[in-house]
């Protein structure tokens, strides 16, 4: 079951903040966040595991609510380079299989 | 670190021909590689998971005889689209995951755009 991302699209001015949500109908083992620019490969941003472990870039933060089966990605003080489509990928089950199901994506546009 | 390459970056072929796409992890050993398909403005759809030295596991609805996957070494996986048809035109992306860890982050290749005439 594909996770649901919200919002579908967001437009920001440089310096503004944004939150992107990812919600699953199945129990989560982990949530992975990626950013993809047009015509390019997705770039790894962050992983959150159930139990609280996280790994990601310094300027990116995210939360993972196991009970609600949700994750949120926080983009603060946005820069022009943040523009792109953000995908969450969810991993299910009781162990890390590595197999991800990706959400439909959230398009972020940062304007000067 | 964690660089994944794909070759070719784009290919145009005639209907009925076969196309091979290579995915290489350049600076790490990839125990698992994944193949995705992405249509314009859509999400990444997992096609199959391959582990070095074993048969690929295909997702439901993906024809294993049409999309042949080989993971012959820890740095190379190939996807062959056999008897390609126009509906196979898409952006194919591979990703690689390294030595099993609790994180299992995937590193994506730059993708291959396939156009079947």
């Amino acid at each position: 079951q594909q996770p649901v991302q919200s919002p579908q699209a967001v437009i920001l001015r440089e310096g503004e903040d944004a939150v992107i949500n990812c919600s699953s109908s199945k129990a989560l083992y982990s949530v992975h966040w990626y950013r993809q620019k047009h015509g390019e490969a997705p770039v790894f941003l962050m992983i959150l595991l159930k139990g609280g472990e996280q790994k990601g870039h310094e300027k990116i933060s995210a939360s993972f609510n196991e009970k609600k089966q949700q994750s949120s990605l926080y983009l603060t003080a946005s820069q022009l380079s943040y523009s792109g489509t953000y995908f969450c990928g969810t991993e299910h089950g009781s162990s890390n299989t590595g197999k991800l199901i990706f959400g439909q994506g959230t398009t972020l546009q940062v304007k000067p | 670190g964690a660089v994944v390459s794909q070759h070719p970056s784009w290919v145009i072929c005639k209907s009925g021909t076969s196309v091979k796409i290579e995915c290489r992890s350049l600076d790490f050993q990839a125990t698992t590689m994944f193949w995705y398909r992405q249509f314009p403005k859509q999400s990444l759809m997992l096609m199959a998971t391959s582990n070095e030295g074993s048969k690929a596991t295909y997702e439901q609805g993906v024809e294993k005889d049409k999309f042949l996957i080989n993971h012959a070494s820890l740095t190379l996986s190939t996807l062959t689209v056999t008897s390609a048809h126009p509906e196979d035109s898409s952006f194919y992306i591979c990703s690689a995951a390294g030595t099993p860890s609790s994180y299992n982050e995937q590193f994506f290749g730059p993708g291959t755009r396939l156009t079947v005439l």
Side-chain angles (χ1 to χ4, degrees):
Chain A
Q1 198 76 358
Q2 186 180 36
V4 176
Q5 289 184 230
S6 63
Q8 282 191 318
V10 61
I11 300 174
L12 296 176
R13 292 281 178 198
E14 259 187 301
E16 292 182 338
D17 302 338
V19 180
I20 301 172
N21 302 301
C22 176
S23 182
S24 174
S25 59
K26 292 172 61 176
L28 294 169
Y29 178 83
S30 69
V31 179
H32 302 220
W33 286 96
Y34 290 84
R35 176 174 59 222
Q36 184 180 32
K37 293 186 184 277
H38 181 67
E40 298 180 8
V43 173
F44 165 73
L45 296 176
M46 190 134 195
I47 285 181
L48 304 102
L49 302 179
K50 73 176 192 178
E53 288 182 82
Q54 297 185 4
K55 181 178 180 182
H57 293 290
E58 285 180 8
K59 296 186 178 180
I60 302 286
S61 65
S63 64
F64 182 14
N65 188 321
E66 289 178 48
K67 272 190 176 178
K68 290 186 177 179
Q69 296 167 184
Q70 292 175 347
S71 176
S72 295
L73 184 71
Y74 304 99
L75 302 168
T76 56
S78 59
Q79 305 170 18
L80 295 176
S81 61
Y82 287 11
S83 294
T85 301
Y86 289 76
F87 291 100
C88 68
T90 54
E91 188 178 14
H92 303 275
S94 57
S95 63
N96 57 333
T97 62
K99 178 179 156 179
L100 299 178
I101 304 172
F102 283 90
Q104 81 278 18
T106 295
T107 302
L108 172 69
Q109 187 180 2
V110 181
K111 293 186 173 181
Chain B
V3 179
V4 177
S5 70
Q6 265 184 257
H7 178 81
S9 51
W10 59 270
V11 57
I12 301 172
C13 68
K14 290 183 178 179
S15 189
T17 60
S18 294
V19 174
K20 181 187 278 190
I21 301 169
E22 290 186 350
C23 176
R24 293 181 186 272
S25 56
L26 300 184
D27 52 2
F28 68 103
Q29 293 189 323
T31 49
T32 307
M33 286 185 170
F34 303 89
W35 287 95
Y36 295 87
R37 186 171 178 176
Q38 187 177 35
F39 290 107
K41 297 188 179 180
Q42 292 191 24
S43 185
L44 297 120
M45 300 301 296
L46 179 65
M47 298 174 67
T49 303
S50 76
N51 292 293
E52 184 261 341
S54 59
K55 285 184 178 180
T57 304
Y58 291 82
E59 293 301 301
Q60 196 171 13
V62 177
E63 299 174 58
K64 61 182 180 182
D65 294 331
K66 180 165 187 63
F67 298 101
L68 301 177
I69 291 171
N70 184 275
H71 193 160
S73 75
L74 286 172
T75 59
L76 174 64
S77 175
T78 59
L79 167 68
T80 301
V81 183
T82 62
S83 186
H85 290 284
E87 58 266 28
D88 298 324
S89 298
S90 189
F91 193 49
Y92 291 87
I93 311 179
C94 71
S95 71
T99 304
S101 71
S102 60
Y103 291 108
N104 250 347
E105 60 265 48
Q106 294 182 28
F107 299 96
F108 284 83
T112 296
R113 188 162 301 284
L114 170 64
T115 302
V116 185
L117 302 175

